């Protein structure tokens, strides 16, 4: 999943805007590395199309569904892990770069990659100085520790991953920061000083650095934590903060004045802000991108059938498209442990009765012919784009194109 987040990061890495656009010519995670690409089919798979360092403008995003969660302790989708870098800083992160370089880890909150000891059962990180929350409060190692502790509670945060729950040496019976408030957790995470955090594992793990880039290491101030409601207003550490957040409708990000670029070589923070709409009709997303009224389909599931016929036959539109490999597979499974589905004949009946076509997610391929269609169309002066679905099983399935704005 971590690697998937790195690939998806390219979608926001260098999105440019055409002349007269309200959008900037590159986004907050503007990528370094990779040769400039020309406007032709699949150009953005290996390079940045029309790179620019121009500042200003607003990037407009849309999501065909709702966000799984903006809370760093309760999110799982790849596009969310990518987008979260705009307002949150984890210990480490993937490089904002094209191709294989984008799979490399680099320090974010931390000064360097982790230092292993005790046969890789202990990992130590030192935090950079000068990093603050949006209210001006300095970030300390205790804020990172608390962030990981709160993510433990899967009743409050059911959509998050359980890697830290499973691998850290938590005290017996520990239930998270809310239900085990007074429990000493130094057996799992120590903070010997405000700039040092030490993780203790149950068993050796040579690649724990990949855990350190997970969103759960984005610091959370304990006195500002509101549990399940924290997603309504995250206290930012990245270059942007929330100006407005209407769950189910969308949200806007504006510049975070407390973000210091001197502590952050990874983010150029070129746009002035971001406008995100959720639960938008998928066909409307296609039409708005083709019309230039929208910059990014954040979920990246690919173009819908209604617009597919416009893109493929048109040389100009096809030249602004890419066919990346999808990193997620949508599927629906039957739980055979729950009555009456524990009855084989009942499961067969459900299978026979299900309309396999109409129940597919938008843009999902159903045959080899479908899977050969191009996937993700770029905006006309933009950047790298990729495609994803949801937190499902890995696959190499290609999806359909997403047009880029003129």
């Amino acid at each position: 999943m971590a690697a998937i987040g790195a690939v998806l990061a390219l979608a926001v890495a260098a999105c440019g805007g055409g002349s007269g656009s309200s959008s900037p010519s590159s986004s907050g995670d503007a990528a370094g590395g990779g040769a400039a690409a020309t406007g032709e089919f699949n150009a953005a798979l290996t390079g940045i199309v029309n790179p620019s360092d121009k500042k200003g403008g607003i990037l407009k995003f849309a999501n065909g569904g709702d966000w799984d969660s903006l809370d760093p302790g309760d999110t799982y989708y790849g596009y969310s892990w990518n987008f979260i870098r705009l307002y949150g800083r984890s210990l480490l992160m993937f490089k904002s770069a094209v191709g294989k370089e984008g799979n490399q880890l680099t320090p974010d909150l931390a000064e360097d990659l982790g230092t292993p000891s005790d046969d890789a059962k202990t990992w130590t990180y030192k935090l950079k100085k000068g990093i603050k929350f949006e209210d001006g409060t300095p970030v300390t190692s205790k804020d990172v520790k608390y962030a990981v502790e709160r993510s433990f509670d899967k009743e409050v945060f059911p959509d998050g991953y359980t890697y830290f729950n499973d691998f850290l040496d938590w005290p017996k019976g520990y239930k998270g920061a809310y239900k085990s408030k007074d429990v000493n957790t130094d057996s799992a995470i120590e903070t010997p000083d405000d700039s040092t955090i030490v993780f203790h594992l149950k068993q050796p793990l040579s690649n724990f650095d990949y855990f350190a880039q997970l969103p759960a290491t984005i610091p959370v101030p304990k006195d500002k934590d509101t549990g399940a409601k924290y997603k309504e207003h995250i206290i930012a550490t990245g270059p942007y903060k929330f100006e407005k957040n209407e769950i189910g409708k969308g949200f806007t990000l504006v510049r975070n004045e407390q973000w210091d670029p001197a502590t952050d070589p990874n983010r150029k923070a070129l746009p002035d802000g971001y406008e995100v709409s959720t639960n938008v009709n998928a066909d409307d997303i296609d039409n708005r991108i083709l019309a230039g009224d929208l910059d990014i389909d954040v979920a990246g599931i690919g173009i819908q059938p209604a617009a597919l016929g416009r893109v493929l036959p048109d040389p100009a539109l096809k030249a602004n498209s890419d066919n990346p490999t999808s990193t997620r597979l949508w599927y629906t499974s039957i739980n055979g442990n729950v009555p009456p589905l524990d009855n084989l004949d009942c499961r067969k009946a459900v299978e026979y009765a299900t309309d396999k076509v109409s129940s597919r997610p938008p843009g999902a391929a159903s045959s080899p012919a479908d899977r050969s269609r191009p996937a993700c169309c770029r905006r006309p002066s933009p950047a790298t784009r990729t495609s994803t679905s949801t937190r499902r099983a890995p696959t190499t399935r290609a999806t359909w194109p997403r047009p880029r704005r003129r």
Side-chain angles (χ1 to χ4, degrees):
M1 186 65 190
I4 291 165
V7 175
L8 293 174
L10 301 180
V12 181
C15 301
S19 59
S21 166
S22 64
S23 302
S25 43
S26 188
S27 86
D29 277 337
T38 58
E40 58 185 30
F41 183 65
N42 275 343
L45 300 187
T46 56
I48 301 172
V49 179
N50 297 330
S52 173
D53 284 331
K54 184 179 178 181
K55 298 186 72 170
I58 303 295
L59 277 179
K60 297 180 180 180
F61 286 57
N63 189 339
D66 203 355
W67 222 265
D68 63 336
S69 178
L70 295 166
D71 191 314
D74 195 33
T75 181
Y76 201 98
Y77 289 2
Y79 71 79
S80 180
W81 288 17
N82 171 36
F83 191 89
I84 208 169
R85 305 194 308 177
L86 297 174
Y87 60 88
R89 299 181 64 178
S90 47
L91 288 172
L92 306 178
M93 63 183 286
F94 284 101
K95 287 185 177 180
S96 295
V98 176
K100 293 182 179 179
E101 189 180 356
N103 292 329
Q104 299 175 16
L105 291 172
T106 190
D108 192 5
L109 279 180
E111 294 180 342
D112 204 346
L113 302 183
T115 301
S117 58
D118 188 24
D119 253 355
K121 288 176 63 179
T122 299
W123 286 80
T124 302
Y125 298 86
K126 287 281 189 179
L127 271 59
K128 296 174 183 175
K129 299 184 185 302
I131 299 177
K132 299 178 181 179
F133 289 107
E134 65 180 64
D135 61 2
T137 305
V139 171
T140 72
S141 57
K142 294 178 178 59
D143 298 312
V144 179
K145 176 178 180 176
Y146 178 73
V148 176
E149 288 176 334
R150 69 190 289 276
S151 74
F152 188 100
D153 193 330
K154 295 310 165 192
E155 291 183 2
V156 178
F157 306 118
D159 292 330
Y161 38 84
T162 63
Y163 305 127
F164 289 113
N165 299 37
D166 301 334
F167 282 83
L168 294 182
D169 191 14
W170 300 102
K172 186 176 181 180
Y174 185 68
K175 296 181 179 180
Y178 307 129
K179 299 181 179 70
S180 302
K181 292 182 180 180
D182 299 323
V183 174
N184 186 317
T185 59
D186 286 352
S187 62
I189 309 174
E190 285 187 283
T191 53
D193 56 57
D194 283 348
S195 62
T196 305
I197 186 166
V198 183
F199 294 92
H200 298 286
L201 284 66
K202 299 175 185 176
Q203 59 192 39
L205 187 64
S206 61
N207 60 350
F208 184 79
D209 275 338
Y210 288 99
F211 282 36
Q213 65 81 35
L214 292 171
T217 68
I218 292 173
V220 175
K222 187 175 182 179
D223 61 343
K224 300 290 178 64
D225 184 19
T226 53
K229 291 187 175 182
Y230 187 66
K231 64 182 179 182
E232 297 174 7
H233 185 89
I234 311 297
I235 308 301
T237 48
Y240 300 92
K241 63 182 180 179
F242 287 89
E243 179 184 51
K244 180 177 68 173
N245 183 13
E246 297 180 271
I247 303 297
K249 294 183 179 180
F251 50 89
T252 58
L253 300 180
V254 296
R255 292 192 182 276
N256 175 12
E257 303 85 356
Q258 297 298 329
W259 173 73
D260 183 358
T263 70
D264 192 350
N266 302 308
R267 300 166 176 84
K268 293 187 178 181
L270 298 177
D272 289 331
Y274 291 79
E275 294 179 0
V276 181
S277 301
T278 57
N279 291 311
V280 180
N281 177 273
D283 290 317
D284 289 344
I285 292 177
D286 289 345
N287 293 331
R288 289 177 61 190
I289 291 178
L290 286 167
D293 184 46
L294 189 67
D295 299 312
I296 300 291
D297 170 14
V298 68
I301 61 173
I303 198 169
Q304 304 303 302
L308 187 64
R310 295 175 57 188
V311 174
L312 293 183
D314 188 319
L317 291 178
K318 185 175 180 180
N320 290 328
S321 351
D322 304 295
N323 185 26
T325 299
S326 175
T327 50
R328 290 334 250 155
L329 172 66
W330 291 76
Y331 68 89
T332 300
S333 62
I334 297 176
N335 186 349
N337 296 320
V338 178
L341 296 174
D342 55 350
N343 183 304
L344 176 61
D345 291 329
C346 182
R347 296 197 296 274
K348 287 181 179 180
V350 172
E351 289 284 356
Y352 285 128
T354 301
D355 183 342
K356 305 298 195 302
V357 176
S358 63
S359 62
R360 282 186 304 165
S366 62
S367 69
D370 284 336
R371 291 193 289 271
S372 67
R373 296 177 179 178
C376 187
C377 289
R378 305 188 300 271
R379 296 167 46 207
S381 31
T384 51
R385 293 274 309 160
T386 63
S387 175
T388 186
S389 296
T390 64
R391 52 167 177 164
R392 305 302 183 192
T395 179
T396 57
R397 174 178 61 83
T399 50
W400 293 351
R402 174 65 62 206
R404 57 174 174 151
R405 186 172 56 77
R406 285 200 173 280

